Amino acid sequence: MALKRFEKGFMIFLLVAGGLLMMIPFIWMLGSSFKPENEFTIVPPTIIPNHPTFKNYVDLFAKMDFMVYLKNTLIIVLCSFVGLFLNALAGYAFAKFEFPGKNKFFYLILATMMIPGQVTMIPTYLIINKLGLVNTMAGIVLPGLVGAFGIFLFRQFMSTIPTDLMEAARLDGAGELRIFFQLIMPIVKPVFAVQGILTFIGAWNSFLWPLIIANDESLYTLSVGLSLLKGQYASKFGLQMAGAAFMVVPIIIVFSFFQKHIIEGYTISGMK
């Protein structure tokens, strides 16, 4: 028993030590975002600032257009949430309706998950250019509204819903849209929670596609703005740390509160 308690205590110690070690870069970034510039040259360096200040965060919005970048990022996030319903509708169709080529079409959608996004960017850009949507918010948002993983996740979960439940609703005179919104959606709330979290994280971190499509700085996202910050203010370490913290902290907060749902989502995706 004593040996087992020692092994358990030693494992806990290793996990805590490893966790603290992994947190050092984040703590350094967060602490440095409150440092005045002259404190970055102190030897030995400090993790917690001696004279904390909010000047870096004030300059982030005063000297850079981070409020514009934040607005654009929030627009992308909200539009991505609209895409959740499109994914859910597609998953519902694949789960509960029969139509020619259903399985082949579904497998084709799944096959797109194996194609790197960088491969499809050029043809997607050409299509967006033909539609005249280059350098517009619509051109940034539209390609990411529907995703293969979202359709797969909804389809797998909706396949477990008894068809008799839907047939009973049809016998009561309910239409397909009413069945979906009043019957199916409440049942698949866990999947909506998971997809909402993953959608938020993906939209918040959107970088490459907005950088390609947008020529106007007024359409840049926070990630693109952070990369500009590194170029224009390379010597302003406090400003860079403030920008990085502003990007990372919301993701960590969301993940900390909803990590259970994220793990459950990947478990649900394996259900049949």
Side-chain angles (χ1 to χ4, degrees), residues 73-236:
T73 302
L74 292 177
I75 290 174
I76 295 174
V77 169
L78 292 176
C79 291
S80 298
F81 285 150
V82 174
L84 281 179
F85 291 96
L86 300 179
N87 288 329
L89 286 169
Y92 177 57
F94 280 114
K96 295 301 179 182
F97 290 93
E98 295 295 332
F99 51 89
K102 168 185 168 180
N103 292 330
K104 292 180 181 178
F105 191 40
F106 181 67
Y107 293 145
L108 182 62
I109 292 175
L110 291 183
T112 63
M113 295 174 62
M114 295 181 285
I115 304 174
Q118 293 82 355
V119 175
T120 60
M121 278 187 177
I122 293 177
T124 303
Y125 179 85
L126 294 176
I127 294 172
I128 294 296
N129 187 40
K130 285 289 184 181
L131 295 174
L133 297 178
V134 173
N135 202 35
T136 64
M137 186 57 68
I140 296 174
V141 169
L142 285 177
L145 282 182
V146 179
F149 179 74
I151 295 174
F152 171 73
L153 198 64
F154 279 109
R155 186 259 187 188
Q156 292 299 95
F157 190 86
M158 290 178 181
S159 296
T160 64
I161 300 175
T163 306
D164 294 342
L165 198 63
M166 299 164 52
E167 292 296 337
R170 292 190 182 102
L171 289 174
D172 289 338
E176 294 301 330
L177 287 178
R178 184 178 177 185
I179 291 173
F180 177 77
F181 284 104
Q182 294 187 0
L183 181 63
I184 302 299
M185 280 187 59
I187 297 176
V188 298
K189 277 183 180 178
V191 185
F192 270 104
V194 173
Q195 275 298 102
I197 296 163
L198 298 179
T199 298
F200 170 79
I201 294 175
W204 185 266
N205 290 328
S206 56
F207 170 74
L208 190 56
W209 183 248
L211 181 63
I212 293 172
I213 287 294
N215 301 322
D216 190 350
E217 192 171 333
S218 63
L219 294 173
Y220 285 169
T221 60
L222 284 172
S223 295
V224 179
L226 184 61
S227 68
L228 292 177
L229 185 64
K230 294 177 182 178
Q232 296 178 10
Y233 297 92
S235 60
K236 301 289 185 179

